[in-house]
Amino acid sequence: MAQISFEELYRGEGAGEKYGILGEVMKGFLKNGCPLVYDERTWLDMLLAKHTLIAAEKMKNEGDTVSGLTDDVSPSSYVRWDENENS
């Protein structure tokens, strides 16, 4: 059972080495490319979501947790939002 930071989880460093989300995303993208129905950015975002969910399931099964995620900070604090950006 380990506590892993978001950075370690995505980079695959330290305690997050066994998950390495970004490494898995890049392996999948370089091995299989991008389907013609998606642009590259959309496909990378979809792969990122896929491998994040896979890592979350593995973490649940192994009893690992993400450190630094607390209830005292609103989830919206982690996302920069510009309401005019999508207008």
Side-chain angles (χ1 to χ4, degrees), residues 71-84:
D71 291 334
D72 63 340
V73 178
S74 166
S76 63
S77 301
Y78 296 107
V79 179
R80 299 205 187 282
W81 181 267
D82 182 6
E83 291 184 25
N84 297 324

Side-chain angles (χ1 to χ4, degrees), residues 1-34:
M1 190 181 301
Q3 279 209 347
I4 304 167
S5 72
F6 281 116
E7 186 174 358
E8 289 173 330
L9 183 63
Y10 280 89
R11 287 188 175 187
E13 299 172 345
E17 185 176 3
K18 59 185 168 185
Y19 301 108
I21 294 171
L22 291 177
E24 292 299 316
V25 168
M26 292 314 298
K27 277 196 291 188
F29 183 76
L30 294 174
K31 180 179 176 185
N32 302 316
C34 176

Side-chain angles (χ1 to χ4, degrees), residues 26-46:
M26 292 314 298
K27 277 196 291 188
F29 183 76
L30 294 174
K31 180 179 176 185
N32 302 316
C34 176
L36 296 175
V37 296
Y38 299 109
D39 62 58
E40 288 180 356
R41 176 60 193 237
T42 299
W43 187 242
L44 284 171
D45 286 344
M46 291 172 69

Side-chain angles (χ1 to χ4, degrees), residues 52-81:
T52 299
L53 292 171
I54 290 169
E57 186 65 27
K58 285 181 187 177
M59 290 179 74
K60 181 178 111 183
N61 291 337
E62 296 193 23
D64 294 337
T65 58
V66 175
S67 62
L69 185 63
T70 61
D71 291 334
D72 63 340
V73 178
S74 166
S76 63
S77 301
Y78 296 107
V79 179
R80 299 205 187 282
W81 181 267

